[in-house]
Amino acid sequence: MTRTEYLAQLDNYLKKLPAKDYQEAMDYFTEYFDEVGPEGEAAAMAELGSPKEAAHEIIINLLDKKIEEDNQETGSVKNSKQIIQIAILSILAAPLAIPLLILALTLVFTFFLLISVFAFVMAVFAFAMFAIGASLIWDSLTLGMTTSLPAFALSLGMSLLALGLAGLFYLSIGPILRFIKLSFVKLAQALARKGGRHV
């Protein structure tokens, strides 16, 4: 394999990375081959491994770097999207056996689908509790003048309870979404590293 073929295959594996990271990776490999020169290209390719192995190593290192940056900063939505994108690429770049990869992806998809559905149910329940609470407050204020004081107090108390539950469920959605992101990234790292050991 020539240097041009090696870089073309590598480009194929890395092209889905974010533009800046893709360019840095390709520049690194181009400079590496420039330094070793034409006579050292074969040894360099043997040291780097196949283009898929080299791409896998770059993606794993990039994922670790992005996670470290995310832990140091308050993670922006863009950074979270990039981490998840790189995590998916690390799984796909891992040289796992195809049946194992299909099984792993099916389990991962099912797990995250269930947690996502749970987060969605929490959001719907929060909205429902808010609507019930607002309705009960309206009823207690409008009917409170014509009904007894205990009925007014009961209606107002139930409305405050419903609003409190709505707030509680709403606040629990953020940690669930962070858990989904963190779990997915950790699982992707584990699968990618496990796949890299079989190389």
Side-chain angles (χ1 to χ4, degrees), residues 60 63-71 80 83-88 90-91 108 111-112 177-195 197:
I60 289 287
L63 181 59
D64 291 341
K65 178 183 161 194
K66 293 285 184 184
I67 290 171
E68 189 176 308
E69 288 173 3
D70 190 53
N71 290 338
S80 294
I83 288 173
I84 292 172
Q85 177 187 3
I86 295 169
I88 292 169
S90 71
I91 293 172
V108 168
F111 175 72
F112 290 110
L177 293 177
R178 279 193 294 280
F179 171 76
I180 291 171
K181 175 191 156 193
L182 182 65
S183 299
F184 177 76
V185 169
K186 293 291 182 188
L187 186 63
Q189 281 182 304
L191 284 174
R193 284 196 189 342
K194 184 173 182 167
R197 280 204 230 39

Side-chain angles (χ1 to χ4, degrees), residues 1 4 11 15-16 43 64 67-68 86 93 127 160 176 189:
M1 180 182 304
T4 307
D11 175 79
K15 66 184 173 188
K16 293 212 179 346
D64 291 341
I67 290 171
E68 189 176 308
I86 295 169
F127 179 75
L160 293 176
I176 291 172
Q189 281 182 304

Side-chain angles (χ1 to χ4, degrees), residues 28-97:
Y28 168 79
F29 283 104
T30 303
E31 289 171 15
Y32 183 75
F33 280 114
D34 287 344
E35 286 177 15
V36 298
E39 62 281 346
E41 287 177 4
M45 285 184 239
E47 182 183 324
L48 292 170
S50 71
K52 184 167 187 166
E53 293 167 352
H56 179 255
E57 191 63 33
I58 285 289
I59 292 171
I60 289 287
N61 292 336
L62 182 60
L63 181 59
D64 291 341
K65 178 183 161 194
K66 293 285 184 184
I67 290 171
E68 189 176 308
E69 288 173 3
D70 190 53
N71 290 338
Q72 291 173 356
E73 305 167 5
T74 55
S76 67
V77 174
K78 182 180 178 188
N79 198 25
S80 294
K81 280 177 60 179
Q82 283 186 349
I83 288 173
I84 292 172
Q85 177 187 3
I86 295 169
I88 292 169
L89 287 174
S90 71
I91 293 172
L92 296 176
L96 295 170

Side-chain angles (χ1 to χ4, degrees), residues 96-169:
L96 295 170
I98 296 298
L100 179 61
L101 181 62
I102 292 171
L103 175 66
L105 290 177
T106 303
L107 292 174
V108 168
F109 176 75
T110 304
F111 175 72
F112 290 110
L113 179 67
L114 289 174
I115 293 177
S116 299
V117 166
F118 181 67
F120 177 74
V121 168
M122 295 286 276
V124 169
F125 198 72
F127 179 75
M129 286 291 111
F130 178 77
I132 290 170
S135 172
L136 285 173
I137 283 182
W138 178 256
D139 287 346
S140 65
L141 292 177
T142 56
L143 300 176
M145 308 303 175
T146 60
T147 60
S148 66
L149 185 60
F152 169 74
L154 178 64
S155 179
L156 186 61
M158 288 176 59
S159 66
L160 293 176
L161 175 65
L163 289 174
L165 286 173
L168 183 66
F169 285 116

